[in-house]
Each structure stands twice: as structure tokens, then as C-alpha cells.
Amino acid sequence: MSTVASLTQFTRTAESAANEVIDAYSTSFGFATRLLGRRHRQHVRTIYALVRVADELVDGVTAEA
């Protein structure tokens, strides 16, 4: 597999995972991102999902401990 193909596969997988996180945790944020231009929308969604997972790890694990 070429480097470009690997990067494309990684990007699609990361975006799919980010969309699942947003769908599971924040419907309002998902709707709000529709106000963004197409060029930036998925980037913002992906960053939000990363931060959301980190927040769950810190808050959720701490609460369970």
C-alpha cells in the first residue's frame, strides 16, 4: 500500500470514529458544525471528538475510581 493510500485510509477511519463519538455524545455540537463551511467542518469535528474522548477518560475514569 502506498503512503498516500495509507494516509487516505487513516483519515477516513479517524473521521468515521470522530463522527461516531459526536453522534454518541453531542447532538447539538453535531448540528452546530453544519454552520461551518465544508472545508473546515470535518477538521473541527475531529478535534472536538479527540478532546471529548480525553475529557471522558479524565472525568469518567476519575469518577469510577
Side-chain angles (χ1 to χ4, degrees), residues 1-45:
M1 183 180 287
S2 73
T3 302
V4 172
S6 294
L7 182 57
T8 300
Q9 181 181 7
F10 175 81
T11 300
R12 286 184 185 148
T13 303
E15 289 174 351
S16 176
N19 292 334
E20 283 191 48
V21 168
I22 291 168
D23 290 347
Y25 284 97
S26 182
T27 54
S28 60
F29 183 84
F31 289 130
T33 58
R34 293 180 185 174
L35 300 172
L36 299 171
R38 287 174 95 60
R39 182 175 180 199
H40 301 292
R41 184 179 307 141
Q42 189 61 52
H43 297 295
V44 170
R45 290 174 63 88

